[in-house]
């Protein structure tokens, strides 16, 4: 198609292509002098981009059941897999459920583990439970007088029904399906008084006041874009939200763990949100209720102690780009401090340092990472103008003496603590420990842990005259 339309522009062949593909192209598009516009019209009619991408995804990408056993070990095990090159066996019930993409059953539920990749703010009116009629909204905004009136009416109906019943089962305080006569000493007047005082009825069948929805009065609602790896999540479930810096083995990081209640689940269809009651393993969905617990990304789990933190990133190097921050308006110092605290919780690669002089220092992994952090501070976390100093990158390289034997490990590199071996290669003439100690020149080879890169450095001494010249003119 491209050759006949753009390269050669053979009108006869173009007509044959259009007829063979059985597509409709307007006559004005066929006569268009813009060959690329004609090409786009043919391709849009033949292979629409959305349809072609969806078909390719469905046919070529593996399903979650097939993909998770191959891809999840890298996220769960991190450096352990990179060192050996092979994924280790699943440790515990949670990892086994993750690798199997197990949804669980009612009799044997699987541990729920979900990853929240992004938290977006959407208008409250775009969510179906806030616009679908007035039933949900009326329950949310029901006043105390309306609730007491409905409670009194329910108690009266219950009392009449139980008085007319012949069996002697005790009165269920608020259940409209109960039968039987009222319990001894429990009259409808006292029940009504209890309803008016807050529905505090000492009865096994007493119903609790529904918890108000915290998003009912908000104009913007936070919805997390999530992927469920194992288990099943339903509306009303209570889950643990783990921020990226949470580590179950480190007590100092337990402040990054919070418990949430699932307020809503959605199938995200473009701009539309389709309300769901539950989602199972392998689904991509939206979840409401993560506000305040997850800022940008995080992990949701039913068991925070046994579940790995999928939001933690295994980095190969420490952040090295430093900048000093201060608000443009000195009155916004508290905002900046709060914004840095939120950024530190949201980004695992960020380090926030408070100097003894009161200066706030932000350490990022690189220039692009620094720009993203500053954008988040200004537009999301601190919400104020910030003055930034020139970035400082410390020079951390150094030269060490050649070791006497090969394969000597001189230290650890990277955030994961993996070791690099410095291998000394000596010539036969300089063999032996004494010769190695006295030899001024040698070759040092550095090989990365994955074996893909080897750096070889050959060092020779400066001529004596050159060294003397540099010393005299230092």
């Amino acid at each position: 198609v491209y050759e006949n339309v753009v390269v050669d522009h053979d009108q006869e062949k173009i007509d044959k292509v259009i007829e063979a593909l059985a597509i409709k192209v307007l006559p004005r598009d066929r006569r268009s002098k813009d060959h690329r516009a004609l090409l786009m019209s043919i391709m849009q009619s033949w292979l629409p981009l959305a349809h072609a991408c969806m078909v390719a995804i469905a046919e070529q990408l593996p399903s979650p059941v097939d993909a998770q056993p191959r891809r999840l070990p890298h996220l769960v095990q991190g450096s352990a897999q990179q060192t050996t090159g092979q994924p280790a066996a699943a440790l515990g019930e949670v990892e086994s459920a993750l690798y199997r993409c197990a949804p669980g059953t009612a009799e044997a539920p699987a541990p729920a583990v979900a990853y929240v990749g992004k938290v977006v703010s959407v208008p409250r009116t775009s969510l179906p439970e806030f616009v679908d009629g007035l039933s949900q909204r009326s329950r949310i905004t029901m006043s105390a007088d309306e609730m007491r009136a409905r409670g009194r009416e329910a108690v009266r109906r219950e009392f009449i029904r139980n008085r007319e019943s012949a069996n002697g089962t005790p009165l269920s305080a608020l259940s409209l399906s109960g039968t039987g006569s009222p319990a001894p000493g429990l009259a409808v007047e006292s029940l009504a008084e209890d309803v008016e005082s807050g529905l505090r009825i000492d009865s096994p069948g007493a119903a609790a006041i529904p918890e108000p929805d915290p998003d009912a009065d908000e104009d913007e609602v936070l919805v997390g874009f999530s992927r469920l790896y194992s288990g099943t999540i339903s509306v009303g479930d209570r889950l643990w939200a783990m921020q990226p810096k949470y580590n179950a083995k480190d007590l100092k990081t337990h402040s990054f763990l919070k418990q949430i209640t699932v307020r809503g689940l959605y199938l995200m269809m473009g701009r539309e949100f389709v309300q769901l009651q539950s989602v199972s393993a392998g689904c991509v969905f939206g979840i409401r209720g993560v506000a305040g617990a997850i800022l940008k990304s995080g992990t949701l789990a039913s068991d925070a102690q046994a579940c790995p933190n999928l939001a933690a990133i295994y980095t190969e190097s420490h952040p090295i780009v430093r900048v000093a921050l201060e608000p443009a308006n000195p009155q916004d110092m508290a905002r900046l401090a709060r914004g840095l605290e939120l950024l530190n919780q949201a980004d695992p690669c960020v380090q926030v340092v408070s100097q003894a002089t009161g200066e706030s220092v932000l350490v990022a992994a690189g220039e692009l990472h620094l720009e993203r952090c500053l954008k988040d501070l200004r537009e999301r976390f601190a919400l104020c103008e910030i003055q930034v100093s020139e970035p400082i990158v410390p020079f951390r390289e150094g030269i060490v003496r050649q070791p006497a034997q090969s394969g000597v490990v001189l230290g650890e590199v990277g955030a994961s603590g993996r070791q690099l071996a410095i291998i000394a290669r000596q010539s036969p003439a300089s063999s032996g420990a004494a010769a190695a100690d006295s030899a001024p020149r040698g070759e040092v080879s550095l090989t990365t842990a994955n074996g893909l890169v080897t750096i070889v450095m050959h060092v020779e001494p400066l001529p004596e005259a050159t060294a003397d010249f540099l010393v005299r003119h230092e």
Side-chain angles (χ1 to χ4, degrees):
V1 175
Y2 182 83
E3 181 179 358
N4 294 324
V5 175
V6 178
V7 179
D8 299 334
H9 193 67
D10 190 333
Q11 188 64 42
E12 183 179 353
K13 291 185 177 180
I14 292 175
D15 294 337
K16 290 183 179 180
V17 168
I18 295 176
E19 293 177 2
L21 297 177
I23 58 177
K24 294 182 179 180
V25 178
L26 298 177
R28 59 181 178 84
D29 291 336
R30 297 192 185 191
R31 297 190 301 268
S32 175
K33 295 182 180 181
D34 189 352
H35 300 166
R36 292 189 176 273
L38 176 58
L39 175 66
M40 184 176 298
S41 178
I42 295 175
M43 297 302 296
Q44 287 179 347
S45 302
W46 176 35
L47 291 176
L49 183 59
H51 178 73
C53 289
M54 182 58 66
V55 171
I57 289 172
E59 292 182 352
Q60 302 299 327
L61 294 184
S63 67
V65 177
D66 298 330
Q68 288 186 196
R70 298 200 307 266
R71 299 176 180 175
L72 270 185
H74 174 73
L75 297 175
V76 175
Q77 300 166 5
S79 59
Q81 182 194 2
Q82 296 174 5
T83 303
T84 61
Q86 296 293 333
L91 302 177
E93 179 187 0
V94 176
E95 286 193 16
S96 177
L98 283 173
Y99 297 165
R100 293 183 293 109
C101 190
T105 60
E107 295 76 14
V113 180
Y115 173 70
V116 180
K118 186 178 182 180
V119 178
V120 296
S121 178
V122 299
R124 178 173 59 87
T125 55
S126 64
L127 299 180
E129 63 264 39
F130 295 108
V131 297
D132 188 12
L134 297 177
S135 57
Q136 179 72 10
R137 182 176 297 180
S138 63
R139 287 196 298 268
I140 295 174
T141 60
M142 187 183 299
S143 64
D145 293 337
E146 293 174 344
M147 294 180 64
R148 284 195 290 267
R150 291 194 178 189
R152 287 195 299 267
E153 183 63 25
V155 170
R156 289 191 177 92
R157 291 199 305 267
E158 175 103 7
F159 178 78
I160 295 173
R161 183 181 293 106
N162 286 297
R163 185 172 58 180
E164 294 176 351
S165 178
N167 55 29
T169 54
L171 172 66
S172 176
L174 288 178
S175 174
L176 298 181
S177 61
T179 58
S181 58
L186 190 62
V188 64
E189 291 80 6
S190 62
L191 289 176
E193 293 176 359
D194 288 335
V195 171
E196 292 181 357
S197 63
L199 296 179
R200 295 189 302 270
I201 303 174
D202 189 12
S203 172
I209 299 177
E211 184 180 355
D213 195 323
D215 297 328
D217 299 327
E218 299 291 338
D219 294 331
E220 295 287 328
V221 178
L222 297 180
V223 176
F225 184 74
S226 313
R227 162 76 179 272
L228 185 59
Y229 288 97
S230 69
T232 301
I233 297 178
S234 302
V235 176
D237 289 352
R238 297 186 67 84
L239 301 173
W240 292 101
M242 297 180 282
Q243 296 179 2
K245 293 191 175 182
Y246 169 77
N247 186 356
K249 299 179 180 179
D250 189 357
L251 295 178
K252 297 180 180 179
T253 64
H254 282 200
S255 59
F256 300 109
L257 177 67
K258 296 182 180 180
Q259 194 173 32
I260 67 166
T261 300
V262 180
R263 302 289 180 183
L265 298 170
Y266 313 99
L267 179 62
M268 305 175 74
M269 304 289 291
R271 297 182 179 181
E272 297 182 3
F273 293 84
V274 180
Q275 191 173 12
L276 303 173
Q277 290 301 317
S278 63
V279 293
S280 57
C283 293
V284 177
F285 63 99
I287 182 171
R288 183 169 62 89
V290 299
I294 295 179
L295 302 177
K296 293 177 65 177
S297 63
T299 305
L300 301 177
S302 55
D303 185 358
Q305 297 299 321
C307 175
N309 191 353
L310 301 179
I313 299 178
Y314 299 96
T315 57
E316 297 297 324
S317 60
H318 293 283
I320 58 174
V321 181
R322 289 172 167 257
V323 292
L325 305 178
E326 64 178 10
N329 186 355
Q331 296 180 352
D332 294 332
M333 183 63 70
R335 285 189 175 185
L336 177 60
R338 177 58 179 167
L340 288 174
E341 180 182 354
L342 295 176
L343 178 64
N344 187 39
Q345 296 176 8
D347 196 331
C349 296
V350 164
Q351 290 183 2
V352 177
V353 181
S354 296
Q355 304 285 4
T357 58
E359 187 180 44
S360 298
V361 177
L362 177 66
V363 190
E367 293 184 1
L368 293 178
H369 186 219
L370 176 62
E371 292 179 4
R372 182 62 191 177
C373 293
L374 296 177
K375 179 179 175 64
D376 289 340
L377 276 176
R378 292 189 177 101
E379 299 180 1
R380 184 170 183 180
F381 297 132
L383 297 177
C384 65
E385 287 298 324
I386 301 173
Q387 295 181 352
V388 185
S389 67
E390 291 295 328
I392 300 175
V393 180
F395 188 76
R396 295 184 178 180
E397 289 76 8
I399 299 176
V400 297
R401 189 172 184 178
Q402 177 183 351
Q405 66 273 9
S406 62
V408 177
V409 178
L410 296 186
E412 298 179 349
V413 297
S416 58
R418 292 204 308 260
Q419 296 178 334
L420 285 181
I422 296 184
I423 305 172
R425 298 176 182 175
Q426 302 176 7
S427 62
S430 60
S431 60
D437 291 337
S438 60
R441 58 175 60 90
E443 185 178 284
V444 177
S445 176
L446 297 177
T447 304
T448 57
N450 55 16
L452 297 178
V453 179
T454 299
I455 303 174
V456 180
M457 182 173 63
H458 188 76
V459 181
E460 292 185 358
L462 289 172
E464 185 176 355
T466 305
D468 294 339
F469 177 82
L470 293 176
V471 171
R472 289 196 308 267
H473 297 82
E474 186 177 3

